[in-house]
């Protein structure tokens, strides 16, 4: 009689154990798939965002080349140069502005300029003022003085014909929806999902 009772109980426990093991394995596989999907997503986004920053850098270099070419002419055509700036900005959807300063940090040419602006007190200007390397600088997030929203600044130094510092060329990217703007794609994320862009110094 005891065997008749114990037999079904053992069978039930065995089936329960198999079910628990199966659920655990299924959960583990789901976690692995989620991790793999996240890694693949991150890799694709990183490549896309890296390519977008490269495009911004090339745009800044093109602005500098056009600035030098226009400055070499007998008379600087400001209207023509600012049209060129607008066209270059429009080629990079992530940029909300594209501007050029003089040696004192005053913006002398630019898009989206409802009022005069001076950036000589900004860290990115001061860094490029003293740094001779011809590389693009990306600022930490800061509040845009004209658009009143958080932005990242991508900036390059340009030199005068005598080799001395002439000013900077810079473009601004809005931090809000930055990943979508830079990658050019809609990112669907859940309430518990987090997307972060981190630089080489672990700044987010």
């Amino acid at each position: 009689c005891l065997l008749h009772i114990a037999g079904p109980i053992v069978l039930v426990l065995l089936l329960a154990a198999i079910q628990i093991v199966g659920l655990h394995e299924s959960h583990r596989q789901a976690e692995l798939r989620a991790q793999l999907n996240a890694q693949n997503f991150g890799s694709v986004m990183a490549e896309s965002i890296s390519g977008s920053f490269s495009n911004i850098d090339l745009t800044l270099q093109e602005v500098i080349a056009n600035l030098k070419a226009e400055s070499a002419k007998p008379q600087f055509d400001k209207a023509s140069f600012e049209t060129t700036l607008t066209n270059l900005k429009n080629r990079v959807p992530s940029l909300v502005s594209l501007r050029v300063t003089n040696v004192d940090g005053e913006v002398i040419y630019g898009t989206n300029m409802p009022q005069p602006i001076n950036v000589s007190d900004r860290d990115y200007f001061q860094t490029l003022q003293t740094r001779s390397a011809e590389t693009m600088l990306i600022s930490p997030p800061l509040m845009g003085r004209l658009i009143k929203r958080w932005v990242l600044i991508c900036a390059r130094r340009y030199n005068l014909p005598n080799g001395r510092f002439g000013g900077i060329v810079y473009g601004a990217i809005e931090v809000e929806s930055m990943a979508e703007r830079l990658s050019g794609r809609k990112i669907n994320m859940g309430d518990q999902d987090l997307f972060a862009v981190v630089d080489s110094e672990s700044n987010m």
Side-chain angles (χ1 to χ4, degrees):
C1 182
L2 186 58
L3 290 175
H4 288 297
I5 297 173
I9 293 176
V10 170
L11 182 60
V12 170
L13 291 175
L14 181 60
L15 290 173
I18 293 173
Q19 185 70 14
I20 291 171
V21 171
L23 288 173
H24 177 74
E25 181 63 20
S26 176
H27 181 68
R28 191 178 72 85
Q29 292 294 330
E31 283 187 339
L32 289 174
R33 284 195 299 271
Q35 289 175 3
L36 183 60
N37 288 338
Q39 289 171 356
N40 290 338
F41 175 77
S43 178
V44 170
M45 290 297 296
E47 289 181 8
S48 181
I49 290 175
S50 176
S52 294
F53 276 116
S54 293
N55 287 338
I56 293 171
D57 190 21
L58 289 172
T59 299
L60 298 182
Q61 292 181 59
E62 193 165 348
V63 172
I64 292 172
N66 277 276
L67 179 63
K68 289 180 177 179
E70 193 66 43
S71 298
K73 295 178 181 179
Q75 185 169 354
F76 193 100
D77 189 339
K78 181 179 179 179
S80 175
F81 180 71
E82 292 202 327
T83 297
T84 299
L85 275 183
T86 300
N87 292 337
L88 289 172
K89 173 194 166 293
N90 291 341
R91 280 170 28 185
V92 186
S94 56
L95 288 176
V96 295
S97 62
L98 187 59
R99 297 171 183 152
V100 179
T101 80
N102 61 16
V103 67
D104 297 316
E106 298 170 348
V107 176
I108 49 177
Y109 313 112
T111 62
N112 301 340
M113 286 287 298
Q115 64 190 59
I117 185 171
N118 188 299
V119 298
S120 60
D121 62 326
R122 295 290 204 184
D123 287 343
Y124 59 84
F125 180 87
Q126 294 172 3
T127 298
L128 290 172
Q129 190 176 31
T130 57
R131 192 175 76 182
S132 59
E134 294 185 359
T135 55
M136 183 175 76
L137 179 149
I138 302 175
S139 76
L142 49 86
M143 180 61 66
R145 286 174 174 156
L146 296 183
I147 66 172
K148 303 302 181 184
R149 291 192 291 274
W150 289 97
V151 296
L152 289 183
I153 298 297
C154 300
R156 263 185 171 269
R157 167 190 174 123
Y158 72 88
N159 292 330
L160 299 173
N162 61 11
R164 301 183 66 179
F165 175 70
I168 68 168
V169 173
Y170 72 94
I173 306 167
E174 281 192 62
V175 172
E176 186 177 358
S177 303
M178 182 183 68
E180 290 182 10
R181 288 177 178 274
L182 289 174
S183 66
R185 68 183 69 191
K186 178 70 176 178
I187 301 174
N188 296 314
M189 301 180 71
D191 294 336
Q192 303 301 316
D193 294 331
L194 173 67
F195 185 91
V197 178
V198 184
D199 65 17
S200 59
E201 297 180 353
S202 298
N203 297 312
M204 294 181 64

